[in-house]
Amino acid sequence: MSALGIFIWELLGTGTLILLGNGVVANVVLRKNLGNNAGFLFITFGWAFGVFTGASIAAPSGAHLNPAVTLGLAIADKTPWEDVPIYMAGQLVGAIVGAVLCWATYKLQFDDHPEPENTLGIFSTGPQIRSYGWNLVTEVIGTFVLVAWILLSPTASAGEGGVPEFGNSALGYAGVSFVVLVVGISLGGPTGYAINPARDLGPRIAYAFLLPIRGKRDGDWGYSWVPVLGPLAGGALAALLYLAVHNLT
Protein backbone atom coordinates (compact mmCIF):
# COMPACT_ATOMS: atom_id res chain seq x y z
CA MET A 1 0.00 0.00 0.00
CA SER A 2 1.17 3.53 -0.74
CA ALA A 3 2.22 5.93 2.00
CA LEU A 4 -0.85 8.05 1.29
CA GLY A 5 -3.09 5.00 1.57
CA ILE A 6 -1.64 4.06 4.96
CA PHE A 7 -2.04 7.62 6.20
CA ILE A 8 -5.66 7.96 5.06
CA TRP A 9 -6.88 4.58 6.35
CA GLU A 10 -5.16 5.03 9.71
CA LEU A 11 -6.60 8.55 9.97
CA LEU A 12 -10.12 7.31 9.22
CA GLY A 13 -9.88 4.34 11.58
CA THR A 14 -8.27 6.20 14.46
CA GLY A 15 -10.61 9.16 14.00
CA THR A 16 -13.60 6.83 14.30
CA LEU A 17 -12.10 5.15 17.36
CA ILE A 18 -11.59 8.48 19.13
CA LEU A 19 -14.97 9.87 18.11
CA LEU A 20 -16.69 6.86 19.66
CA GLY A 21 -14.31 6.48 22.62
CA ASN A 22 -14.32 10.12 23.65
CA GLY A 23 -18.01 10.15 22.78
CA VAL A 24 -18.96 7.49 25.31
CA VAL A 25 -17.06 9.35 28.03
CA ALA A 26 -18.83 12.60 27.10
CA ASN A 27 -22.17 10.77 27.21
CA VAL A 28 -21.46 9.62 30.76
CA VAL A 29 -19.79 12.75 32.16
CA LEU A 30 -21.77 15.65 30.67
CA ARG A 31 -25.22 16.30 32.07
CA LYS A 32 -28.42 16.33 30.00
CA ASN A 33 -27.35 13.17 28.19
CA LEU A 34 -29.17 9.86 28.09
CA GLY A 35 -26.00 8.13 29.29
CA ASN A 36 -25.21 10.52 32.15
CA ASN A 37 -23.72 8.73 35.18
CA ALA A 38 -23.86 5.34 33.46
CA GLY A 39 -20.48 4.48 34.97
CA PHE A 40 -17.06 3.07 34.16
CA LEU A 41 -18.30 -0.26 32.78
CA PHE A 42 -20.44 1.60 30.24
CA ILE A 43 -17.32 3.52 29.18
CA THR A 44 -15.17 0.40 28.80
CA PHE A 45 -17.74 -1.25 26.55
CA GLY A 46 -17.98 1.91 24.45
CA TRP A 47 -14.22 2.03 23.96
CA ALA A 48 -14.05 -1.68 23.12
CA PHE A 49 -16.71 -1.44 20.44
CA GLY A 50 -15.07 1.77 19.23
CA VAL A 51 -11.91 -0.25 18.62
CA PHE A 52 -13.90 -2.80 16.62
CA THR A 53 -15.53 -0.09 14.50
CA GLY A 54 -12.34 1.86 13.86
CA ALA A 55 -10.30 -1.24 13.12
CA SER A 56 -12.90 -2.54 10.69
CA ILE A 57 -12.77 0.75 8.78
CA ALA A 58 -8.94 0.77 8.72
CA ALA A 59 -8.63 -2.86 7.62
CA PRO A 60 -6.88 -1.97 4.31
CA SER A 61 -3.86 -0.57 6.21
CA GLY A 62 -3.83 -3.39 8.76
CA ALA A 63 -5.76 -1.33 11.32
CA HIS A 64 -2.94 -0.49 13.70
CA LEU A 65 -4.74 2.59 15.13
CA ASN A 66 -2.07 2.76 17.83
CA PRO A 67 1.62 3.80 17.70
CA ALA A 68 2.42 1.14 20.32
CA VAL A 69 0.99 -1.54 18.03
CA THR A 70 2.88 -0.12 15.06
CA LEU A 71 6.14 -0.09 17.02
CA GLY A 72 5.59 -3.63 18.27
CA LEU A 73 4.86 -4.91 14.78
CA ALA A 74 7.97 -3.17 13.41
CA ILE A 75 10.21 -4.68 16.10
CA ALA A 76 8.65 -8.07 15.39
CA ASP A 77 9.50 -7.57 11.70
CA LYS A 78 5.84 -7.50 10.67
CA THR A 79 5.77 -3.86 9.52
CA PRO A 80 8.50 -2.10 7.50
CA TRP A 81 10.34 0.50 9.54
CA GLU A 82 9.99 3.08 6.77
CA ASP A 83 6.20 2.88 7.17
CA VAL A 84 6.25 3.52 10.93
CA PRO A 85 6.24 7.36 10.75
CA ILE A 86 3.40 7.27 8.21
CA TYR A 87 1.27 5.04 10.43
CA MET A 88 1.93 7.22 13.47
CA ALA A 89 1.21 10.46 11.63
CA GLY A 90 -2.13 9.13 10.39
CA GLN A 91 -3.01 7.92 13.88
CA LEU A 92 -2.18 11.24 15.54
CA VAL A 93 -4.03 13.36 12.98
CA GLY A 94 -6.99 10.99 13.11
CA ALA A 95 -7.11 11.24 16.90
CA ILE A 96 -7.19 15.04 16.71
CA VAL A 97 -9.99 14.94 14.13
CA GLY A 98 -11.97 12.42 16.19
CA ALA A 99 -11.72 14.60 19.30
CA VAL A 100 -12.97 17.66 17.40
CA LEU A 101 -15.92 15.67 16.04
CA CYS A 102 -16.73 14.45 19.55
CA TRP A 103 -16.82 18.04 20.80
CA ALA A 104 -19.07 19.03 17.89
CA THR A 105 -21.47 16.20 18.70
CA TYR A 106 -21.77 17.29 22.34
CA LYS A 107 -21.32 21.05 21.83
CA LEU A 108 -24.55 21.99 23.63
CA GLN A 109 -23.72 19.71 26.56
CA PHE A 110 -20.23 21.22 26.87
CA ASP A 111 -21.79 24.69 26.93
CA ASP A 112 -24.21 23.59 29.65
CA HIS A 113 -21.70 21.68 31.80
CA PRO A 114 -21.32 23.33 35.24
CA GLU A 115 -17.68 22.25 35.70
CA PRO A 116 -15.88 22.98 32.42
CA GLU A 117 -12.52 22.88 34.20
CA ASN A 118 -13.06 19.13 34.68
CA THR A 119 -13.63 18.23 31.03
CA LEU A 120 -10.08 17.21 30.07
CA GLY A 121 -10.84 13.66 31.25
CA ILE A 122 -13.42 13.31 28.48
CA PHE A 123 -10.59 13.47 25.96
CA SER A 124 -7.41 12.26 27.69
CA THR A 125 -6.45 10.04 30.58
CA GLY A 126 -5.26 10.93 34.06
CA PRO A 127 -4.25 8.96 37.14
CA GLN A 128 -6.42 8.44 40.19
CA ILE A 129 -3.28 8.61 42.33
CA ARG A 130 -0.51 10.67 40.72
CA SER A 131 2.82 8.87 40.88
CA TYR A 132 4.58 9.14 37.54
CA GLY A 133 6.70 6.01 38.03
CA TRP A 134 3.83 3.74 39.03
CA ASN A 135 1.46 5.34 36.53
CA LEU A 136 4.05 4.50 33.87
CA VAL A 137 4.22 0.89 35.07
CA THR A 138 0.43 0.60 34.81
CA GLU A 139 0.45 1.83 31.22
CA VAL A 140 3.36 -0.45 30.30
CA ILE A 141 1.59 -3.53 31.68
CA GLY A 142 -1.78 -2.79 30.06
CA THR A 143 -0.24 -2.15 26.64
CA PHE A 144 2.03 -5.18 26.97
CA VAL A 145 -1.04 -7.38 27.36
CA LEU A 146 -2.69 -5.87 24.29
CA VAL A 147 0.31 -6.05 21.94
CA ALA A 148 1.40 -9.47 23.22
CA TRP A 149 -2.05 -10.83 22.42
CA ILE A 150 -1.87 -9.37 18.92
CA LEU A 151 1.56 -10.91 18.28
CA LEU A 152 1.22 -14.24 20.07
CA SER A 153 -2.35 -15.28 19.27
CA PRO A 154 -2.60 -18.23 16.86
CA THR A 155 -3.56 -17.33 13.32
CA ALA A 156 -5.12 -19.34 10.53
CA SER A 157 -3.13 -22.35 9.35
CA ALA A 158 -3.57 -25.64 7.53
CA GLY A 159 -4.17 -28.30 10.13
CA GLU A 160 -3.88 -32.07 9.99
CA GLY A 161 -5.31 -33.47 6.79
CA GLY A 162 -5.58 -30.01 5.28
CA VAL A 163 -8.40 -28.99 7.61
CA PRO A 164 -7.98 -25.27 8.34
CA GLU A 165 -7.35 -24.17 11.91
CA PHE A 166 -8.45 -20.58 12.24
CA GLY A 167 -7.21 -19.82 15.75
CA ASN A 168 -8.12 -16.41 17.07
CA SER A 169 -8.05 -14.97 13.56
CA ALA A 170 -11.63 -16.18 13.16
CA LEU A 171 -12.64 -13.50 15.65
CA GLY A 172 -11.31 -10.74 13.41
CA TYR A 173 -11.17 -7.32 15.01
CA ALA A 174 -13.69 -8.43 17.62
CA GLY A 175 -10.85 -10.35 19.29
CA VAL A 176 -8.81 -7.19 19.77
CA SER A 177 -11.91 -5.45 21.10
CA PHE A 178 -12.36 -8.18 23.72
CA VAL A 179 -8.78 -7.65 24.86
CA VAL A 180 -9.25 -3.89 25.07
CA LEU A 181 -12.42 -4.52 27.08
CA VAL A 182 -10.74 -6.78 29.62
CA VAL A 183 -7.68 -4.53 29.89
CA GLY A 184 -10.00 -1.63 30.68
CA ILE A 185 -12.06 -3.56 33.22
CA SER A 186 -9.10 -5.29 34.87
CA LEU A 187 -6.20 -2.84 34.55
CA GLY A 188 -7.76 0.49 33.60
CA GLY A 189 -8.73 1.80 37.01
CA PRO A 190 -5.45 3.46 38.08
CA THR A 191 -4.76 5.58 34.97
CA GLY A 192 -7.74 5.28 32.62
CA TYR A 193 -5.84 2.81 30.37
CA ALA A 194 -4.58 4.97 27.53
CA ILE A 195 -2.64 1.98 26.10
CA ASN A 196 -2.32 4.09 22.94
CA PRO A 197 -0.16 7.23 22.62
CA ALA A 198 -2.27 8.69 19.78
CA ARG A 199 -5.51 8.04 21.67
CA ASP A 200 -4.25 10.24 24.52
CA LEU A 201 -1.98 12.81 22.87
CA GLY A 202 -4.19 13.66 19.88
CA PRO A 203 -7.28 14.57 21.93
CA ARG A 204 -5.08 16.36 24.47
CA ILE A 205 -3.72 18.58 21.67
CA ALA A 206 -7.24 19.17 20.35
CA TYR A 207 -8.53 20.03 23.84
CA ALA A 208 -5.71 22.44 24.65
CA PHE A 209 -5.44 24.26 21.33
CA LEU A 210 -8.54 23.73 19.20
CA LEU A 211 -11.69 23.20 21.24
CA PRO A 212 -13.53 26.38 22.33
CA ILE A 213 -14.73 25.07 25.70
CA ARG A 214 -15.28 28.05 27.99
CA GLY A 215 -13.56 27.72 31.36
CA LYS A 216 -11.54 24.63 30.43
CA ARG A 217 -8.28 23.80 32.17
CA ASP A 218 -4.88 23.31 30.55
CA GLY A 219 -3.80 20.05 28.93
CA ASP A 220 -2.03 18.70 32.06
CA TRP A 221 1.19 18.52 30.07
CA GLY A 222 3.19 17.46 33.11
CA TYR A 223 1.46 14.07 32.95
CA SER A 224 1.12 13.84 29.17
CA TRP A 225 4.37 11.94 28.64
CA VAL A 226 3.21 8.96 30.73
CA PRO A 227 0.43 7.74 28.34
CA VAL A 228 2.87 8.18 25.46
CA LEU A 229 6.05 6.58 26.79
CA GLY A 230 4.31 3.84 28.79
CA PRO A 231 2.38 2.33 25.86
CA LEU A 232 5.40 2.57 23.54
CA ALA A 233 7.53 0.72 26.11
CA GLY A 234 4.79 -1.89 26.63
CA GLY A 235 4.48 -2.48 22.90
CA ALA A 236 8.24 -2.81 22.50
CA LEU A 237 8.50 -5.29 25.40
CA ALA A 238 5.70 -7.40 23.93
CA ALA A 239 7.54 -7.53 20.61
CA LEU A 240 10.77 -8.57 22.34
CA LEU A 241 8.86 -11.36 24.09
CA TYR A 242 7.46 -12.46 20.73
CA LEU A 243 10.96 -12.60 19.22
CA ALA A 244 12.35 -14.47 22.22
CA VAL A 245 9.58 -17.08 22.16
CA HIS A 246 9.97 -17.69 18.43
CA ASN A 247 13.75 -17.99 18.75
CA LEU A 248 13.34 -20.63 21.44
CA THR A 249 10.62 -22.70 19.72
Side-chain angles (χ1 to χ4, degrees):
M1 175 171 288
S2 68
L4 180 60
I6 292 172
F7 179 85
I8 290 174
W9 287 115
E10 288 294 309
L11 186 158
L12 291 173
T14 309
T16 302
L17 163 64
I18 300 304
L19 170 61
L20 298 176
N22 287 173
V24 71
V25 183
N27 195 11
V28 171
V29 171
L30 300 174
R31 67 180 185 174
K32 296 184 181 177
N33 279 320
L34 295 177
N36 183 241
N37 291 322
F40 183 70
L41 188 60
F42 190 80
I43 290 172
T44 56
F45 271 93
W47 271 106
F49 290 126
V51 169
F52 174 79
T53 307
S56 298
I57 289 172
S61 63
H64 295 191
L65 309 186
N66 183 341
V69 171
T70 299
L71 178 63
L73 291 173
I75 293 173
D77 200 26
K78 293 179 177 292
T79 293
W81 279 101
E82 60 266 25
D83 289 344
V84 169
I86 303 164
Y87 274 98
M88 292 186 177
Q91 293 154 6
L92 183 61
V93 174
I96 293 171
V97 171
V100 173
L101 292 175
C102 171
W103 167 81
T105 303
Y106 286 94
K107 196 269 183 186
L108 296 179
Q109 281 74 17
F110 277 107
D111 290 346
D112 178 75
H113 194 59
E115 299 178 341
E117 69 278 6
N118 294 329
T119 52
L120 174 61
I122 293 172
F123 297 95
S124 293
T125 62
Q128 296 301 299
I129 301 174
R130 189 170 294 248
S131 172
Y132 293 126
W134 285 111
N135 301 153
L136 187 70
V137 167
T138 298
E139 288 293 334
V140 169
I141 292 173
T143 314
F144 176 88
V145 171
L146 171 63
V147 179
W149 184 88
I150 291 171
L151 290 173
L152 294 173
S153 290
T155 56
S157 61
E160 184 175 349
V163 177
E165 296 177 355
F166 292 104
N168 283 332
S169 65
L171 294 172
Y173 295 120
V176 181
S177 302
F178 294 153
V179 178
V180 171
L181 176 63
V182 75
V183 168
I185 293 172
S186 301
L187 307 174
T191 62
Y193 73 114
I195 61 174
N196 180 339
R199 168 266 176 275
D200 193 273
L201 182 60
R204 196 182 297 269
I205 291 171
Y207 181 86
F209 301 112
L210 299 177
L211 302 183
I213 300 172
R214 292 191 300 271
K216 67 181 179 180
R217 60 164 299 176
D218 62 22
D220 192 14
W221 297 107
Y223 180 77
S224 64
W225 63 275
V226 173
V228 172
L229 181 59
L232 289 174
L237 289 172
L240 293 176
L241 173 65
Y242 168 83
L243 293 174
V245 168
H246 277 262
N247 286 334
L248 291 173
T249 58

